[in-house]
Every structure is written in structure tokens, then in C-alpha cells.
Amino acid sequence: MSVVRQHPVRPSGRITRLVVALVAVLATVTGCAGATDGQTVRLAQFPWSAAKLTNAILAEVVAAHPDLGVGELKTIQVGPATAWAGAQRGDVDVLTEVAMPNQSELAAKAEPRIGLVHPTYDGAEQGWYVPTAMLGPGQPLEGLRSVTQLNDYAAALDNRLVDSDPSFLTTEQNAKRLAGYGLDLEQITSSEAAQIAELRRAAERGTPILVYLYRPHYVFEEIELTRLEEPNPARDDCFTTGDGACAMPAYSAWTAAAGDLTTAAPRFAELLGRFELPLADVEQMLQRVDVGNEDVEMVAREYVAANPDRVREWVGAP
């Protein structure tokens, strides 16, 4: 069941988390409800680590800057389709880590209540990867370069594409890609944690594996991976009216916000319009969280403290 993290803002800047049932929150909270020291803003949190990190950074900034007009952040943990449906109904005020163009259709349905505000980062690649070590001379995947060759290597790959969380929109896209390229591979979906655990085991044992991955991701700091080449570039209609035989586009992570947020908490809305993170910084923080098992809120707190100039740009301080 989805849950909600509540982040009440106190003068000390510390954040207390209270986990309650999502259904209870949605039953009792409507619109941008007012809190004692400012507005209550509900953030959707997608089920990948970069989304948790982004929201934790925003929570730290809000806690340190009460003049932004936000008294409480309620973070609702949901998948993209559920999040956008909630935004369309008015149950969600802000979405971070919106993968574009992956979520473009969902975003279009939620207009005009909520819209894209600003990219957090761009140029993030996604696609199908294999361990680079498996491509060398004498290795099981020697000679593999393109997705079009995968049927020739299906036996070595145990006839599988190890995909990620089934709630990701890319899961549907990958199914269309398998069909579009005529590949005889079974699509295996599970939690992202299970997917990465299987990738690690394969790398440790020196056995071939084909995985869907996206950036930013900590695993690129841990395992050397090669993205397979694509014969056809990405195109807008490929996964809608097209045959699916195309590359997955490099995407940008955007922030989306409800239109009434500009009235309820104008300074916070302005911050979202300036909120950016370098892709390299995101991957380094993800490595600390997902590999080093450091607390995501502590990592966010340290990043905010170590980048005062960037924070001043976000909040619009001189």
C-alpha cells in the first residue's frame, strides 16, 4: 500500500517523519490546505531513488527557508500513472522526477490543473545494457553491439531481458521494443532492487545478462556497462502508433506543479522554476544512498549544506 511521509517544518530545520496510510491522507486532505506556518504541499514520490533524493533535498530547503511559504510537505509514494491521476483529480500538488518524454501522455491528461515547470536535469540516457566485461574476446557476448543481434545471443542471455519495476512506463515500452524488433526474449519484471541484485550476481559470477537501465543510476558507478546500439533513432510516435522498433529517447527529469500553487505559495512555486541538479551530482548521491546505505535525508542535508550558492539560486536570494 502506498504511504505518505509528512515533513512538518520547524524553526530548527529538522524534519520529523510520520507514516500514515495514503487512503487516510487523501480522504482528509483537499487542495493546498493551510498549515500553521504556511501551506501544506503534497509531493508525489515515484518508486526510484532519484525521486526520493529530489524530494528530500526540497524538504531540506523548505525547512531552512520558512519564507518560501510552505509549512508542511506530504510525500505520497505512488507510481507515475497513479500520481498523474491524483494530480488530475487535485489530490497531488507537485510531481518531481517527471521523466520526459516518457510521461508526456500522462502529463497532457492532467492539464490544465497541473503542468510542467522546469527540468531538474536533462540528457539522461536509457536503454538496454550488458556488462562490458562480457563483450571481450572469448567472452559469451563477443561481437554483440546492437539490439538487432540479440536473437543470436539469446541462449547466452538465458533468453531474458531483465526489466525493472512493472509500474514504470518504460516496462510497456520495452515490451513494444521486443515485439518491434522481433526478439525471442522473455521480459522479466520485478522491483528495481531485485533487478540490480540479479545484475550484481551476474557481474560477480561473470555470466551474461541483458538489463534495461536509465540514468541517473548509482549502478554505473559500480559496474562497467555498455549500452547496445540502436538501428533506429527515437521518434515521438514509436510507442503509440508506431511499431516499437526504435531507440528509447534520452530523457529529462522535470518538476510539475499545480497552477494554484503560484497563489498558495508563490515563492515556493518560483523555486520550482529554478530547481536544477547536475546529473553527476545526482549519481554520486545515489551511490551513497543505494550502495553505501546512507540515509537519504542525511545525504540531502549534506548536499544542501555543501552547496549554499546553488541553494541561493533556487530560493532567489541575493
Side-chain angles (χ1 to χ4, degrees):
M1 180 172 60
S2 301
V3 296
V4 172
R5 289 182 178 175
Q6 292 182 317
H7 299 280
V9 178
R10 298 192 177 98
S12 63
R14 295 181 62 85
I15 300 173
T16 303
R17 298 192 305 172
L18 174 64
V19 180
V20 297
L22 171 59
V23 292
V25 171
L26 297 184
T28 58
V29 181
T30 57
C32 287
T36 302
D37 298 319
Q39 295 296 316
T40 295
V41 176
R42 297 155 302 171
L43 281 74
Q45 183 161 287
F46 298 137
W48 52 84
S49 296
K52 299 175 185 177
L53 182 63
T54 298
N55 285 355
I57 290 172
L58 285 174
E60 288 295 324
V61 175
V62 165
H65 296 83
D67 53 321
L68 291 172
V70 176
E72 187 175 39
L73 293 180
K74 290 188 176 182
T75 307
I76 307 170
Q77 300 181 20
V78 284
T82 304
W84 281 106
Q88 191 174 6
R89 289 192 306 268
D91 297 331
V92 175
D93 304 309
V94 176
L95 293 82
T96 62
E97 275 289 311
V98 175
M100 295 296 291
N102 293 1
Q103 297 181 30
S104 58
E105 289 187 50
L106 294 173
K109 292 178 182 178
E111 293 179 343
R113 183 189 177 270
I114 191 166
L116 299 174
V117 175
H118 192 73
T120 309
Y121 53 82
D122 54 21
E125 291 184 349
Q126 58 180 334
W128 294 349
Y129 292 79
V130 296
T132 304
M134 293 292 96
L135 298 172
Q139 295 299 319
L141 302 182
E142 179 183 1
L144 176 61
R145 294 291 180 269
S146 169
V147 297
T148 59
Q149 299 173 274
L150 283 170
N151 278 340
D152 297 332
Y153 293 85
L157 294 166
D158 198 23
N159 301 292
R160 300 187 310 157
L161 165 66
V162 181
D163 210 338
S164 194
D165 193 307
S167 73
F168 292 3
L169 295 178
T170 52
T171 303
E172 181 181 346
Q173 294 175 354
N174 281 327
K176 292 180 179 179
R177 278 163 53 78
L178 287 170
Y181 283 124
L183 299 176
D184 301 323
L185 298 174
E186 181 182 3
Q187 182 183 22
I188 305 298
T189 62
S190 61
S191 69
E192 187 175 51
Q195 178 204 34
I196 299 305
E198 185 165 354
L199 173 58
R200 282 175 171 155
R201 285 194 298 270
E204 290 170 359
R205 297 170 181 172
T207 55
I209 188 171
L210 174 69
V211 295
Y212 161 75
L213 285 171
Y214 58 90
R215 306 194 83 151
H217 202 295
Y218 70 86
V219 77
F220 291 101
E221 298 287 325
E222 182 181 343
I223 302 171
E224 186 177 357
L225 297 162
T226 295
R227 180 172 175 258
L228 296 183
E229 298 172 359
E230 303 277 348
N232 306 315
R235 61 180 190 272
D236 292 341
D237 66 343
C238 183
F239 303 120
T240 53
T241 59
D243 60 5
C246 68
M248 306 181 82
Y251 68 88
S252 302
W254 283 70
T255 301
D260 58 4
L261 196 63
T262 58
T263 301
R267 287 209 59 194
F268 180 66
E270 291 171 2
L271 177 151
L272 296 178
R274 294 185 289 262
F275 184 68
E276 296 179 5
L277 289 167
L279 189 60
D281 288 5
V282 176
E283 290 193 330
Q284 290 169 9
M285 286 187 281
L286 290 178
Q287 186 181 35
R288 292 180 59 187
V289 172
D290 291 324
V291 180
N293 293 318
E294 297 183 48
D295 181 74
V296 67
E297 292 178 344
M298 181 188 72
V299 172
R301 187 175 304 120
E302 292 181 0
Y303 185 79
V304 168
N307 293 273
D309 291 343
R310 181 164 290 130
V311 173
R312 279 195 291 270
E313 290 178 6
W314 293 342
V315 301

